[in-house]
Amino acid sequence: MTASRSDSVRGGGRATGGLANVLVANRGEIARRVFATCRRMGIATTAVYSDADAHSPHVAEADSAVRLPGNTPAETYLRGELIIEAALAAGADAIHPGYGFLSENAGFARAVQEAGLTWIGPPVAAIEQMGSKVESKKMMDAAGVPVLKQLDPAEVTPDLLPVLIKASAGGGGRGMRVVREVADLAPQLEAARREAESAFGDPTVFCERYLETGRHIEVQVMADTHGTVWAVGERECSIQRRHQKVVEEAPSPLVEKMDGMRERLFTAARLASEAIGYEGAGTVEFLADERGDFFFLEMNTRLQVEHPVTEQVTGLDLVRLQLQVAAGRPLPARQPGLRGHSIEVRLYAEDPAQDWQPQSGPVHKLDIPGTTGEFTVLTEPGVRLDTGVVDGSVVGVHYDPMLSKVISYAETRDEAAHLLASALQRAKIHGLVTNRDLLVRVLRHPAFLAGDTDTAFFATHDIEKLSAPLVSESDEKLSIVAAALSDAAANRAKVRIGAGLPSGWRNLPSQPQSKSYESRITGKHEIRYRLTRTGLAVDGFEGLELIEATPDSVTLSVPGERGRVRRRFDIARYDDLVAIDSALGPVAVKRLPRFEDPADHVAEGSLLAPMPGAVIRLGAQAGDRVEKGQPILWLEAMKMEHTIAAPAAGVLAELNVVAGQQVEVGAVLAVVRSADATPSEGVAE
């Protein structure tokens, strides 16, 4: 029987019986994840959504949904009072915060309880104590947990560099900056404060010594209201970009090889939890060195993004345990042990080769082959998919660009890595540039397979090589040939020509047919081919044989040093975008028109908006001399600041925007004319 709202308030926001209807104060993947467990437990679900998320899968899957007017987090998912009103309007009796947004906001948790709703999270006091990373470290030090000394930004001297600026109120890399020069400290502090305010509504930041290399190890804890505290298992999350995790795994390769380290970690995590009277799911994060020594970083008083790897190696449904603890039930008498190995990668809509530039736009297709479960614990080796998008979803500019979490589970670490890399390479991901190729290369990298995964992984190993396309240039060209032949087949399907002869077939010798495409990586390709009585002839290729060509697929026989090999290419079209998938690797090209429009060209030196966003400040004015790499302006998109810098030294000939202006992707923001250019070279005085 569900507790009344008055009972929930008297009980500190805990239900005394089962939960009937849970509202998730979040969006995307984590909302779908919580809903999946609720459905398995027979609990009704309520979604909230911004205008930008009106067609999001999490909205369609909920039993009821309530609109939060607006698009940005500040207008919607950070408006606690609107979320509570939504819960009451929909008849929900509990709120699950997910991760990010208000998940670690003590004021919101208190307001939820005061409204008579069950808070599916830790006690308000625990959130408050861990909510300030400054105060939490003092408390952990007093409890006997090893900590790194915090620094007053005003007292940072050259001998203390480098330092790390961190947001006191949040995580996920928001508000983090590494500072290596004293002169950079003040501007980086201001940038970190702005980012923290935008992401968490709190601009407070602090500094600590930055360790160039280390291992990010965290312990999952679960505590009930009856005094039981579990240290469920550790995860290693050392491979990061912009201080955000990219690859996570359980158990940790470092901990596995260090005698006694797991026990010491678990003891420290329990001390941290008991010191604040913790209840529910939480994570105690540490920075460790290769000797097995570790220091407290922070405690996340919520469910972590990477919780699936712990679920896989324990067999637990952590969301189910959260709901049961919130309903006042005790944890099971025996804590489960560990089994096998699990690795999770975060599939982002971003371009690692372009400084991790986030992408926006439609996801035409997302198909991970071999997926054996979604939002559920696998009992056999396989691949699990936790995703916030489906075919046709649109990635906007207001939120984090993570598309999916792809998780493998196997008996050994090597098997889990190979299984995950194979699934990602064969995945069909159409519409946006992603970090898929980088993820595959990381999973197959000798250093990763050896367990050498410190926080400097991307700095140590050439990021240019790691982010290179999986397909070689020659194989890309072959894939584009297949696209041209498939396009010809598609044209034949639209307009049937005499006697069923293939388009391009001629009884007499003729000029080849030509189709042009543009690759984001290798530029323009002109495919010239002929289909004759003797077969297929393609300029630049010898001995290709066409086995079959349809609008959706092409099969070629390709000559090689040791004989011929059949290659099948799957083709998909979305307006001018052509996606080609094969065992050689994924390829995406833009179909070019036969005749180019001169209006499509932009002046040399033009700085184009890489994504829709808001210009938050300017670094130079028209007419200024600028150096290569000098910031011209800053864009805010997807809760992060992005620097638009001069591509070369010269003069800022045009500045087409002002602070506060919204811009669309591809807009010409500014034009930098090289120092030795003249007006006749395409830039007006």
Side-chain angles (χ1 to χ4, degrees), residues 366-548:
L366 178 65
D367 179 21
I368 311 292
T371 298
T372 51
E374 293 188 5
F375 305 111
T376 189
V377 180
L378 305 180
T379 57
E380 299 290 337
V383 174
R384 165 178 166 176
L385 180 66
D386 287 16
T387 182
V389 302
V390 295
D391 293 358
S393 292
V394 176
V395 177
V397 300
H398 301 292
Y399 315 112
D400 187 276
M402 187 177 78
L403 301 178
S404 306
K405 302 183 311 195
V406 190
I407 308 108
S408 64
Y409 171 65
E411 292 182 2
T412 67
R413 184 173 185 269
D414 278 355
E415 185 182 353
H418 292 311
L419 183 62
L420 187 52
S422 176
L424 286 168
Q425 176 160 359
R426 293 183 293 119
K428 294 181 179 180
I429 308 169
H430 300 165
L432 288 175
V433 175
T434 73
N435 64 339
R436 178 256 299 275
D437 292 7
L438 172 127
L439 296 174
V440 173
R441 292 191 181 278
V442 168
L443 292 167
R444 291 175 173 165
H445 197 282
F448 177 83
L449 293 174
D452 298 332
T453 56
D454 63 30
T455 54
F457 191 90
F458 289 134
T460 303
H461 305 289
D462 190 344
I463 188 64
E464 184 175 346
K465 291 181 179 178
L466 286 172
S467 58
L470 292 173
V471 65
S472 68
E473 288 193 17
S474 60
D475 288 341
E476 181 190 57
K477 184 69 175 288
L478 183 62
S479 298
I480 298 173
V481 169
L485 297 171
S486 176
D487 276 347
N491 291 337
R492 291 197 303 273
K494 291 178 182 176
V495 182
R496 297 190 177 276
I497 57 179
L501 295 177
S503 175
W505 189 92
R506 297 292 185 272
N507 190 39
L508 298 172
S510 66
Q511 293 298 314
Q513 290 195 315
S514 174
K515 289 183 170 59
S516 296
Y517 302 87
E518 185 172 21
S519 163
R520 184 179 60 89
I521 305 298
T522 56
K524 294 183 179 179
H525 295 262
E526 183 182 14
I527 306 300
R528 295 167 58 84
Y529 67 95
R530 285 173 292 187
L531 292 167
T532 70
R533 287 177 296 180
T534 58
L536 171 68
V538 181
D539 289 2
F541 288 87
E542 295 292 336
L544 281 184
E545 292 182 5
L546 175 61
I547 306 301
E548 182 183 30

Side-chain angles (χ1 to χ4, degrees), residues 271-289:
L271 283 173
S273 301
E274 291 166 354
I276 59 172
Y278 199 77
E279 297 170 5
T283 299
V284 187
E285 301 195 350
F286 300 94
L287 186 64
D289 61 26

